[in-house]
Structure formats: structure tokens, C-alpha cells
Amino acid sequence: MGEVRTGIGWDSHRLVEGRPLIIGGVQIPHDRGLAGHSDADVLTHAIIDALLGAAGLDDIGAHFPDSDPTYKDADSLDLLMTVLERVRAAGWEVGNVDATVVMERPKLAPHRDEIRRSLAEALEIDRDAVNIKASTGEGMGFVGRGEGVAALAVATLRRAA
Ligand code: MG
């Protein structure tokens, strides 16, 4: 087996009225959505940081500064695909991604398959190489109070042949 690397990513965004709730590129029906410069797709941002971390390529803010109007309301799946290109250019291929979304409401489970499909397509890997888990804050902290959503991700890269 060739060289393998692992990276970790974490993100959180505030839940506000008047924004769509987009998780892993999938719009989820809810009375509030995530605030941010881009579409605020918290899960995709965590995965981007995991990939960049594994490749030794800094973090999402270094690649897509939120001071840059180019990324205003950006589709985070487009950012993910750009990151995939940069990871590949650095000589890596994606092994797998595993992530946890921490959100009190709404339930993520009914949307899990669509989210996995969406991310697997963007990453050009099999659906079983993209796992998404759902957790809650059990009423505690900013997640538990419904103030925001957090996501944690790990990614594994293999040295490309
Ligand atoms: Mg973010």
C-alpha cells in the first residue's frame, strides 16, 4: 500500500431566518437556514478542510477568502470540486470521507442518502466511501439551543499511482 494521509475538518454556522438550509449540497426543508458568506454548507466546508488537511494544503479560508466577493453565496459543492482538483494536482486521490453533522432540528436521516449521493458525485468516489452521521446537542450548547449547526469530518487520501 502506498502513502496514506488523514485530515480533519470542523465547521459551524449560525441558523437564521430567510436563508436556505443546505447540507452536503442538498437543500433541506426548514424554517431557517445557515448564515455565511457562501451558501454556508457547513458539512461541505468541514469536508473541504479535511481534504486540505490531509493534503497539507492549509484550510478553506486560505483557498476561498470570505473577503473575496467571488465567493459570495458560492455553491460549496463547486468549492469542493475545486479543492478536489487541487488535491489531485498535489498528487493525491481521495480514499474516503466520514463526517458527523451535529444539528438539533430538523432530522438529517431522511436526507442522508441524497447527501451521500451529492457528495460522492462531487468527489468522484463511490457512495460507500462517503459516510454521513447525524448527531444532536441533546439540548446543550449552541447546537442544543438551535442557534447553529456544526459538522466534523475526516478524509483519507492515497498517493496517486
Ligand atoms: Mg463554513
Side-chain angles (χ1 to χ4, degrees):
M1 192 170 73
E3 190 179 356
V4 172
R5 291 215 193 147
T6 302
I8 189 171
W10 158 266
D11 196 26
S12 58
H13 281 266
R14 277 185 302 118
L15 273 169
V16 296
E17 288 178 2
R19 292 269 301 183
L21 178 60
I22 297 170
I23 307 254
V26 174
Q27 187 163 340
I28 295 174
H30 193 47
D31 58 355
R32 292 183 297 158
L34 295 173
H37 184 65
S38 67
D39 63 5
D41 183 338
V42 64
L43 172 59
T44 301
H45 292 181
I47 291 171
I48 285 172
D49 262 355
L51 293 166
L52 291 172
L57 292 173
D58 302 317
D59 65 16
I60 188 169
H63 289 259
F64 312 108
D66 63 10
S67 55
D68 186 337
T70 309
Y71 306 115
K72 175 104 177 74
D73 297 323
D75 181 337
S76 293
L77 284 188
D78 289 340
L79 306 185
L80 179 62
M81 289 186 274
T82 298
V83 163
L84 178 63
E85 284 170 19
R86 293 177 187 178
V87 164
R88 283 176 171 164
W92 300 97
E93 59 185 35
V94 179
N96 77 299
V97 169
D98 185 26
T100 299
V101 178
V102 194
M103 179 167 73
E104 211 71 2
R105 256 179 355 101
K107 287 267 177 255
L108 193 73
H111 309 283
R112 191 201 313 262
D113 284 349
E114 193 179 354
I115 291 169
R116 290 181 72 179
R117 198 161 48 239
S118 158
L119 291 167
E121 197 171 295
L123 288 167
E124 300 177 10
I125 54 179
D126 290 343
R127 214 193 61 119
D128 69 1
V130 180
N131 194 69
I132 305 301
K133 304 179 300 297
S135 186
T136 72
E138 292 278 329
M140 298 177 289
F142 72 90
V143 169
R145 291 188 297 269
E147 294 168 5
V149 176
L152 180 66
V154 294
T156 301
L157 301 180
R158 292 183 298 258
R159 185 58 84 182

